[in-house]
Amino acid sequence: MLRVENLVTAYGKIKALRGVTLEAREGEVTCLLGPNGAGKTTTMFSIAGILRPTSGDITLDGESLRGLGAARVVGKGVALVPENRLVFPQMTVSDNLHAGAFSRRDDRKRQRDMEKIYQRFPVLRERSRQPAGTLSGGEQQMLAIARALMARPRILLMDEPSIGLAPIIVAEIFRIIAEINREGVSILLVEQNARMALKFAHRLYLIQQGEITFSGTPDELGQDEVIQRSYLGG
Amino acid sequence: MTDFLQNCIDGVMIGSSYALLALGFTIIFGVMRRLNLSFGPTIMLGAFGGAWLYLHFNINPWLVLLACIVFTVAAGVYVERLCFNAIKRNVAITSMVSSFVIWMQLEEIAIHILPDRTSPFPPLFASLSFEAGPFYVRSEYLFMFAVAVAAVFAVERILHRTWFGLRLRAVAEDPRAAAYMGINAGRVSVYAFVLVSVLGAVAGYLILAADQQVTPFFGLWATFKGLIAMMLGGMGSLPGAIIGGLLLGVIETQSLWYFGNEYKDLAAYLVLFLMLIARPGGIMGQRLVERRRLAFRRV
Amino acid sequence: MDAYHVTVLSNIGMISLIALSAYLLLVCGEISFGQQAYFGIGAYISGIATAMWGWPLWSGMLAGGLIGASAAAFVGALTLRINGFYFSIATLAFAEMMRLLLYVFRYQVEIGGELVGPDGENGFHGIRWIFENDISTVEFMWIIYGVLASVVAGMMFMERSRLGRIFRMIGQDDMLARMQGVNVLLYKVLAALIAGFIAGVGGSLYAHSFTYIEPQFFNVMLGVHGLAYGLIGGLGVAFGPLVGVAIDIGFLEAIRWIQGYRMIAFGGLVAVMLIFWPRGIFDEKRWYSIRRCLRRMCGAETS
């Protein structure tokens, strides 16, 4: 579904990505694993159109997304849940949700989607008129996911959803991710938390210093001893 | 052709005063990544203090210079405490706005010091002019040029050869890392403002002494000339400040000669405006691409 | 109401418009040091329209607003793409450039044996619309407040609309706004355009209220004040800038012992505000709690 081929993205003269190739298949959870500074967020930003890649191609069902710019990429059905800058802190929760749907103009359906989202995240309904900055970290993460869903994405890009959250909330977030995925939204996930990724992902990519060093299923990764030792500490 | 060259000489001479002002902007911007828009008004306030002493006690011009420096430093430290050190959130933008707002305060204080709009200002030496063939130069400007060149070398030495300079650069690079090493960022910032105020006061004194008068508009004038010169040369670059200042001087004298007095400042603003659009980093400077830097930091 | 109070109130109304235009850009996270340029453009254009071409005030005001808006959009489109710093400096440069241009701008025609029109540094005399139409200063004050009320109402309406939400999104985090599919540059230019229009309309009123304008009126200090009013009142709600103006011109002006030191007091006040409440008195959070309180009170009354 989403294919990234030979993607090179540079900050000035420093190449953060040196030819990344990966594929997120329809209906699957694809996970991009790697250490800090390996280029995970850069990959996400390049796909979402926030950074302009130097070369390579990004296609969604054969249609190129490269150079469209962030606004039009969202319109094509690719929504990003960024790491750490999650919500508009001074806007209310419901305004934040509306913000997610700005690429769409079908008002009536939007209202129905809001309803669905409040059912899935009851805590957001309780806080719907509160400024989003007053929510807890886990609630903000949920709001960010909910807001991305408001764009009715076909594929959801999630950048380290578990970062800085308590384990019990991480489990909750991943339960929600799995649920969203079961409803037919493909997911491309960036993680450092390898155990969670192994449990939920259908397909894994390892990225190191801007290059993909492994791709395969969690089982295949489990069999690779070198990776086992360096990434899973076992 | 002689006119053109004479204009260039005049431009370089006037431009050296702009270069001195631009140095002040560049140091604050280069090391603190913030813009101090009330730099000009602080110099103006210092000059008003000096002019007040001169008017009431008729003191020696050297003492006037000293008074200018003292008053400018006081005003500069005040601005630093209020608009730079005290602000913790969204520092770059808020400090710039705050220094813009404090401008009105400084201007009104100056008007209270000397209610006459225009006050006399004493020169250090009697004016001489030197002639060489068809060209001539006034001694004040020659002196200003020499001071500007000396100031660049002095600042360069301070930044790269002293402990203070090292600390300054450390804070500029990464304030938090500098704090871990035990550098007191607040104190370093005050010293930077003192340094810049001294430079600014000397520049202001020399410029006003050449005109032999001072008005409250000098604040606006100094901020704009310094800012334009810095942005022409490149934000945060020491050689850029000099090149930008001299270039601005030449542009102004040429447009003064060819289009008339009203168009002198207009040309300067036009050049700044076009520069901002076409080459925002200036001639020597790196492009200030904060957005990309931010993205980089997050990755 | 004596003449002095009418003048003060008229001033508050007109200056509020430049404060509102600065406020709109502040909401979008952009800082303009140069709204006085569009104020000046509006003043000159509308003055020319009514005094020299015999247009009615409304068309003159519209023309002033539209030309101000197009100038603002032009400056915005050229510089907003880079980043905030450059936009601020460019607005300042543009405003000074405009002011200096007004010093050399001469365009006069003879009306009734007298030269009328902008005359460079001598200013622009004879914008006599209020005399010709026999409008008293009190009546003109009501015109000013009518315009101000409709602008504030329009902005309050806008804040609740999709457009207002987009402006707030951009102001809080323009990167995140882009991730939601917002064309940030387009909306920022649009904000600059609307702000230019408001400033232009304010300038038109100013020209007709004073009947004489000169380039020096539209200097940096006007811009400093406009921005300060926007900041001190608060970025949470559109009447914030009006509160800012009222504090300075209304409140501080009224205190006897501050007279003559108003700019010192007000400048200090704003600088201290920026330290503790960088988004003003009625910022988003405080405005939110006020609204909640109001709702609770109203709810208590109805139940």
Side-chain angles (χ1 to χ4, degrees), chain C residues 124-139:
Chain C
F124 182 175
H125 289 274
I127 306 169
R128 296 214 183 92
W129 187 84
I130 57 168
F131 304 132
E132 282 155 9
N133 291 274
D134 210 20
I135 286 174
S136 71
T137 48
V138 177
E139 282 166 328

Side-chain angles (χ1 to χ4, degrees), chain B residues 122-177:
Chain B
L124 282 181
F125 314 109
S127 181
L128 296 169
S129 48
F130 301 103
E131 286 181 40
F135 306 115
Y136 75 96
V137 195
R138 273 171 66 193
S139 59
E140 306 92 288
Y141 288 110
L142 214 53
F143 185 59
M144 217 182 302
F145 185 71
V147 171
V149 172
V152 175
F153 282 108
V155 169
E156 171 68 33
R157 272 199 85 83
I158 289 172
L159 283 184
H160 292 280
R161 296 272 188 279
T162 64
W163 278 105
F164 168 65
L166 184 68
R167 263 180 260 163
L168 207 62
R169 283 181 294 136
V171 173
E173 286 291 323
D174 192 337
R176 207 184 296 165

Side-chain angles (χ1 to χ4, degrees), chain B residues 40-52:
Chain B
T42 54
I43 300 172
M44 182 266 295
L45 196 59
F48 264 69
W52 185 80

Side-chain angles (χ1 to χ4, degrees), chain C residues 149-224:
Chain C
S150 30
V151 169
V152 171
M155 290 208 18
M156 300 273 263
F157 178 73
M158 187 206 74
E159 303 231 299
R160 295 172 157 268
S161 72
R162 183 185 142 100
L163 186 65
R165 286 213 193 99
I166 291 180
F167 285 163
R168 289 215 177 267
M169 280 162 73
I170 294 173
Q172 281 174 42
D173 193 333
D174 62 347
M175 181 91 95
L176 193 54
R178 267 204 296 165
M179 291 175 195
Q180 312 308 320
V182 172
N183 183 339
V184 171
L185 179 64
L186 183 79
Y187 282 101
K188 278 188 175 173
V189 173
L190 186 63
L193 182 122
I194 299 173
F197 183 81
I198 296 172
V201 168
S204 314
L205 291 169
Y206 188 85
H208 289 87
S209 167
F210 280 78
T211 70
Y212 163 70
I213 49 178
E214 62 174 17
Q216 193 49 39
F217 286 163
F218 311 107
N219 65 5
V220 181
M221 276 303 133
L222 182 61
V224 179

Side-chain angles (χ1 to χ4, degrees), chain A:
Chain A
M1 174 185 199
L2 179 78
R3 294 179 72 94
V4 172
E5 268 165 73
N6 239 330
L7 194 68
V8 178
T9 303
Y11 297 101
K13 281 179 187 150
I14 307 154
K15 278 185 188 166
L17 299 184
R18 300 185 292 184
V20 166
T21 300
L22 58 84
E23 186 187 5
R25 294 193 190 169
E26 182 102 51
E28 287 191 350
V29 177
T30 310
C31 184
L32 188 58
L33 267 174
N36 259 338
K40 298 179 307 249
T41 301
T42 310
T43 311
M44 291 301 221
F45 276 16
S46 306
I47 296 173
I50 291 154
L51 291 173
R52 205 171 276 268
T54 327
S55 67
D57 206 7
I58 302 157
T59 55
L60 185 71
D61 290 335
E63 194 186 345
S64 178
L65 298 181
R66 196 185 148 199
L68 282 188
R72 285 170 63 199
V73 170
V74 181
K76 298 280 180 197
V78 179
L80 171 69
V81 183
E83 177 202 338
N84 72 42
R85 46 163 60 182
L86 291 166
V87 297
F88 298 105
Q90 271 137 1
M91 281 165 59
T92 61
V93 168
S94 84
D95 276 355
N96 262 280
L97 289 174
H98 278 297
F102 272 126
S103 57
R104 294 164 49 193
R105 297 204 168 250
D106 42 355
D107 275 339
R108 213 169 301 147
K109 276 193 201 152
R110 207 156 71 194
Q111 220 45 52
R112 216 186 311 146
D113 284 2
M114 283 280 267
E115 199 46 47
K116 259 170 58 190
I117 275 171
Y118 282 147
Q119 270 165 22
R120 173 172 285 152
F121 304 97
V123 64
L124 296 185
R125 192 203 299 272
E126 283 165 34
R127 316 251 152 135
S128 64
R129 294 168 101 169
Q130 215 165 302
T134 60
L135 301 185
S136 73
E139 287 164 350
Q140 289 195 16
Q141 183 69 57
M142 284 183 204
L143 176 56
I145 296 171
R147 188 190 51 213
L149 288 177
M150 284 298 288
R152 288 213 163 188
R154 298 180 50 214
I155 179 161
L156 199 55
L157 312 180
M158 306 186 84
D159 197 349
E160 304 217 21
S162 69
I163 200 160
L165 298 179
I168 187 160
I169 297 168
V170 172
E172 171 72 8
I173 299 275
F174 271 92
R175 191 189 58 75
I176 292 167
I177 294 173
E179 201 178 294
I180 294 165
N181 176 244
R182 269 198 299 281
E183 286 164 24
V185 180
S186 316
I187 285 168
L188 176 59
L189 185 70
V190 154
E191 260 305 328
Q192 283 196 57
N193 184 340
R195 291 192 189 283
M196 272 300 175
L198 279 171
K199 207 161 141 198
F200 284 94
H202 299 105
R203 187 161 297 278
L204 283 167
Y205 288 89
L206 267 185
I207 185 167
Q208 280 173 307
Q209 299 181 335
E211 280 167 317
I212 298 288
T213 51
F214 170 87
S215 71
T217 61
D219 287 343
E220 287 166 10
L221 184 72
Q223 282 156 15
D224 193 317
E225 266 186 36
V226 181
I227 291 168
Q228 267 287 14
R229 233 178 299 129
S230 50
Y231 279 86
L232 306 174

Side-chain angles (χ1 to χ4, degrees), chain C residues 243-288:
Chain C
V243 175
V245 180
I247 287 176
D248 183 33
I249 306 184
F251 179 61
L252 291 182
E253 177 93 16
I255 302 175
R256 226 358 97 73
W257 55 268
I258 290 182
Q259 297 242 317
Y261 297 90
R262 206 185 78 216
M263 296 227 279
I264 299 176
F266 185 65
L269 182 66
V270 178
V272 171
M273 283 276 302
L274 279 170
I275 297 169
F276 297 106
W277 294 350
R279 297 181 74 80
I281 297 172
F282 294 107
D283 65 4
E284 288 88 344
K285 265 201 202 106
R286 224 158 278 129
W287 180 233
Y288 166 76

Side-chain angles (χ1 to χ4, degrees), chain B residues 29 33-35 37 78 81-83 86-90 92-94 96-112 217 220 223-224 227-228 231 235 262-267 269-273 276-282 286-291 294-295 298, chain C residues 26 30-33 36 74-75 78-86 88-94 96-101 103-104 106 121 174-175 178-179 188 216 219-221 223-225 227-228 231 258-272 274-278:
Chain B
F29 187 81
R33 295 277 141 199
R34 307 197 208 174
L35 216 48
L37 288 175
Y78 169 68
R81 289 281 109 181
L82 192 59
C83 307
I87 286 171
K88 301 280 180 249
R89 279 174 283 186
N90 197 6
I93 294 290
T94 315
M96 176 171 75
V97 173
S98 186
S99 70
F100 187 60
V101 168
I102 214 72
W103 186 330
M104 61 170 142
Q105 226 185 11
L106 300 175
E107 199 166 298
E108 186 145 305
I109 294 173
I111 291 170
H112 279 291
F217 295 121
L220 173 81
T223 284
F224 265 113
L227 197 60
I228 297 177
M231 299 201 84
M235 307 189 61
E262 294 99 329
Y263 294 92
K264 189 186 93 181
D265 289 338
L266 206 55
Y269 290 120
L270 189 65
V271 168
L272 171 65
F273 194 65
L276 281 170
I277 296 161
R279 198 181 150 78
Q286 73 276 43
R287 259 178 97 103
L288 178 123
V289 268
E290 247 181 81
R291 206 161 277 155
L294 280 177
R298 268 199 305 278
Chain C
L26 282 169
E30 291 295 337
I31 289 151
S32 168
F33 294 143
Q36 70 271 29
F74 170 74
V75 176
L78 287 176
T79 54
L80 275 168
R81 67 178 70 238
I82 317 168
N83 78 21
F85 261 126
Y86 291 106
S88 302
I89 301 302
T91 50
L92 193 54
F94 180 79
E96 278 301 289
M97 207 160 82
M98 274 322 295
R99 187 172 68 84
L100 292 171
L101 266 179
Y103 273 110
V104 292
R106 282 192 181 80
E121 73 272 22
D174 62 347
M175 181 91 95
R178 267 204 296 165
M179 291 175 195
K188 278 188 175 173
Q216 193 49 39
N219 65 5
V220 181
M221 276 303 133
V224 179
H225 281 102
L227 186 69
L231 276 172
I258 290 182
Q259 297 242 317
Y261 297 90
R262 206 185 78 216
M263 296 227 279
I264 299 176
F266 185 65
L269 182 66
V270 178
V272 171
L274 279 170
I275 297 169
F276 297 106
W277 294 350

